C-alpha cells in the first residue's frame, strides 16, 4: 500500500495528521455514501427470506401488511435515535461506543456478544442465502444438487465474506463505490418487481386480497415470530453510526441519510408477496 502523502491541509491521504504523531480517520463518506450504505444494508437477502415467515405466522395478506408497516415504523424510530446519537457523539463504533460511555465493561460485553453471535449469525445467513441464489441460477436440471451443492454453497459463502472483508480493509474509496453500485442494482431490481406486481394488480388479479383481514385464519401466538422476521428484513440501519468519524459533517448527514432511506418504506411494503 502507498504511504500517506501530505495534502494542502497538512493531513496524510489516509487521515494521519503530519507532524503530530496522531492518526485520524479521513472524512470522505458523503451523503450519497450514507444513503447507499443504509439502503444496501437494509435491502439484502432478508427481503427474500422474511416475507414467507411473516405471511406464514400472520395467516392473511392484510395482517402481513400491518406487520410490515409496524416493523418499518419501529426501524425508522430506531434509525433516527442512532443518527441522533451519532450526531451528538463524534466517535465511530456505534453501540459499542455508546455503551462504553456508560461503563467500559458494557462496551466489552457488546463487542464480545457481537463477535460470538450477534454479528456472525446474520452475516452467515446472508452470505449463504446469496450463495444459494447464485448457485441456483447456474444449475441445470439435477446437476449440482445434494451434498456437492451444499459444499459449493458453503465455499461460495466463505468466498463472498472474504471478498467483502478484503475490500473494506484495502480501500474505503473502493468499498464506497462498490456499495453505491450494488445499492443502485438492488433498487432497480425492486422497482422491476414493484412495477410487475402493480401491473398484475391492475389487471384484476386481486384474489389474494380476498378476506385479507379475516381473523379466523390468524394465530395470534405466532405474531411475535412475524415481527421477528419483519425486523430482520429491516435490520441494517444501526451500522451507519459506526462510521461517524469518516462521515463529512456527520451532524447533518447522519440524520438526513437515515431520513432519506426510510422515506423509501413503500417499496418494501410493495415487495410483500400478494
Amino acid at each position: 500500500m502507498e504511504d500517506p502523502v501530505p495534502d494542502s491541509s497538512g493531513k496524510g491521504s489516509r487521515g494521519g495528521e503530519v507532524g503530530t504523531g496522531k492518526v485520524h480517520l479521513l472524512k470522505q463518506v458523503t451523503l450519497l455514501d450514507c444513503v447507499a450504505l443504509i439502503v444496501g444494508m437494509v435491502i439484502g437477502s432478508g427481503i427474500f427470506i422474511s416475507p414467507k415467515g411473516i405471511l406464514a405466522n400472520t395467516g392473511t395478506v392484510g395482517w402481513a401488511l400491518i406487520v410490515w408497516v409496524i416493523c418499518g415504523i419501529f426501524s425508522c424510530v430506531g434509525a433516527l435515535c442512532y443518527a441522533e446519537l451519532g450526531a451528538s457523539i463524534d466517535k465511530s463504533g456505534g453501540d459499542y461506543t455508546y455503551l462504553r460511555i456508560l461503563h467500559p465493561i458494557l462496551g466489552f460485553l457488546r463487542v464480545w456478544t457481537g463477535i460470538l453471535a450477534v454479528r456472525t449469525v446474520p452475516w452467515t445467513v446472508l452470505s449463504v442465502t446469496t450463495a444459494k441464489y447464485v448457485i441456483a441460477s447456474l444449475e441445470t436440471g439435477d446437476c449440482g444438487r445434494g451434498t456437492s451443492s451444499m459444499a459449493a454453497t458453503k465455499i461460495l459463502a466463505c468466498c463472498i465474506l472474504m471478498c467483502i472483508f478484503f475490500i473494506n480493509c484495502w480501500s474505503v474509496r473502493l468499498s464506497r463505490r462498490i456499495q453505491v453500485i450494488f445499492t443502485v442494482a438492488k433498487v432497480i431490481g425492486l422497482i422491476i418487481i414493484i412495477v410487475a406486481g402493480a401491473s398484475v394488480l391492475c389487471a384484476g388479479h386481486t384474489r389474494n386480497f380476498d378476506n385479507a383481514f379475516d381473523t379466523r385464519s390468524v394465530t395470534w401466538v405466532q405474531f411475535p415470530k412475524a415481527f421477528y422476521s419483519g425486523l430482520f428484513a429491516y435490520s441494517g440501519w444501526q451500522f451507519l453510526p459506526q462510521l461517524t468519524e469518516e462521515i463529512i459533517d456527520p451532524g447533518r448527514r447522519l440524520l438526513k441519510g437515515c431520513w432519506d432511506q426510510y422515506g423509501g418504506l413503500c417499496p418494501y411494503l410493495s415487495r410483500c408477496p400478494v
Side-chain angles (χ1 to χ4, degrees):
M1 290 189 179
E2 299 176 359
D3 294 329
V5 179
D7 58 13
S8 58
S9 63
K11 294 183 179 180
S13 61
R14 297 190 182 279
E17 203 169 295
V18 179
T20 64
K22 296 181 180 179
V23 177
H24 303 277
L25 294 171
L26 184 63
K27 291 184 177 294
Q28 53 183 325
V29 178
T30 64
L31 176 60
L32 176 62
D33 298 325
C34 292
V35 176
L37 177 64
I38 303 180
V39 173
M41 292 297 297
V42 174
I43 305 177
S45 302
I47 186 58
F48 300 103
I49 302 173
S50 298
K52 179 181 178 181
I54 293 177
L55 195 56
N57 289 299
T58 54
T60 64
V61 172
W63 287 106
L65 290 174
I66 290 177
V67 170
W68 276 112
V69 172
I70 296 176
C71 289
I73 293 173
F74 271 115
S75 299
C76 182
V77 172
L80 293 175
C81 289
Y82 260 60
E84 183 64 30
L85 285 172
S88 303
I89 304 172
D90 192 16
K91 294 291 183 182
S92 296
D95 43 12
Y96 160 74
T97 300
Y98 309 145
L99 290 174
R100 193 174 184 276
I101 293 175
L102 298 177
H103 198 282
I105 190 62
L106 296 177
F108 168 78
L109 291 175
R110 180 64 185 91
V111 173
W112 184 76
T113 55
I115 295 175
L116 187 66
V118 175
R119 299 284 173 81
T120 54
V121 173
W123 278 108
T124 302
V125 172
L126 296 177
S127 60
V128 170
T129 303
T130 303
K132 283 184 177 179
Y133 280 112
V134 172
I135 292 177
S137 64
L138 300 176
E139 288 180 352
T140 55
D142 295 330
C143 179
R145 296 185 179 179
T147 306
S148 60
S149 179
M150 292 179 60
T153 300
K154 293 178 181 179
I155 293 173
L156 181 57
C158 290
C159 292
I160 292 172
L161 287 176
M162 291 302 296
C163 287
I164 295 173
F165 176 80
F166 174 78
I167 291 172
N168 282 275
C169 290
W170 181 260
S171 172
V172 175
R173 181 177 299 177
L174 178 60
S175 63
R176 286 165 48 208
R177 291 177 179 176
I178 293 177
Q179 182 70 52
V180 172
I181 292 172
F182 275 92
T183 298
V184 172
K186 291 177 182 180
V187 172
I188 292 175
L190 280 181
I191 290 174
I192 293 174
I193 294 173
I194 293 168
V195 171
S199 63
V200 171
L201 289 175
C202 293
H205 299 280
T206 59
R207 62 181 181 278
N208 290 321
F209 286 98
D210 295 340
N211 300 319
F213 295 95
D214 187 3
T215 57
R216 291 175 298 178
S217 302
V218 176
T219 305
W220 299 106
V221 294
Q222 299 295 326
F223 256 61
K225 294 182 179 179
F227 279 103
Y228 176 82
S229 297
L231 292 173
F232 175 76
Y234 280 108
S235 64
W237 46 264
Q238 69 272 25
F239 294 114
L240 185 59
Q242 295 182 1
L243 307 174
T244 301
E245 294 181 62
E246 300 180 64
I247 299 174
I248 301 172
D249 191 9
R252 292 181 61 252
R253 285 177 167 81
L254 272 170
L255 289 169
K256 188 168 177 57
C258 290
W259 187 254
D260 288 350
Q261 190 273 327
Y262 275 97
L265 180 62
C266 291
Y268 249 118
L269 300 179
S270 302
R271 176 60 184 88
C272 186
V274 293

